[in-house]
Amino acid sequence: VVAGGGRPDKPLLKAGRAYHKYAVKRNCWPKIRGVAKNPVEHPHGGGNHQHIGMPSTVAKDRPSGRKVGLIGARRTGRLRGVKKTAQDRD
C-alpha cells in the first residue's frame, strides 16, 4: 500500500483549496486566457470582444514575447485535395 494512495480521489470542491494546493507548488493557477487580458499583458489581449484578431500561428523565429499560440505550426486547417501517387499518374 502506497502512502497517501487515495488522496486525489477526494474532490477539491472549492477554489480556495485549489489555490492553496497550487500556491505551495508554483504559479500555475488560475490559468487566465490570453484573450481575457489587456493588450499590454498578452499579444491576444484587448479589443471589444474576446477574440484573437489575428492568425494564432506564430513562426519559430519570432521574439519570445510574441511566441504565443500555435508556435511553428506545420499546418492548420482542413486538408484539401489528395496527394497523387505513382499509380494515379499512370
Side-chain angles (χ1 to χ4, degrees):
V1 177
V2 180
R7 184 177 53 84
D9 297 340
K10 181 181 175 184
L12 288 173
L13 293 178
K14 54 186 202 167
R17 292 195 184 132
Y19 168 77
H20 291 295
K21 173 186 174 181
Y22 289 107
V24 170
K25 293 171 181 266
R26 64 200 67 85
N27 185 19
C28 64
W29 184 89
K31 284 191 172 127
I32 308 296
R33 294 165 300 133
V35 292
K37 295 183 178 182
N38 290 322
V40 295
E41 297 162 352
H42 198 276
H44 294 168
N48 287 337
H49 306 282
Q50 287 191 2
H51 67 292
I52 295 175
M54 63 193 79
S56 60
T57 56
V58 182
K60 287 182 183 178
D61 56 355
R62 296 303 295 270
S64 59
R66 181 62 185 94
K67 263 195 281 197
V68 292
L70 303 171
I71 301 170
R74 290 184 174 88
R75 67 158 222 89
T76 59
R78 190 164 60 96
L79 283 174
R80 305 186 76 166
V82 180
K83 287 188 177 179
K84 300 273 185 178
T85 60
Q87 294 174 348
D88 294 338
R89 292 189 191 119
D90 294 339

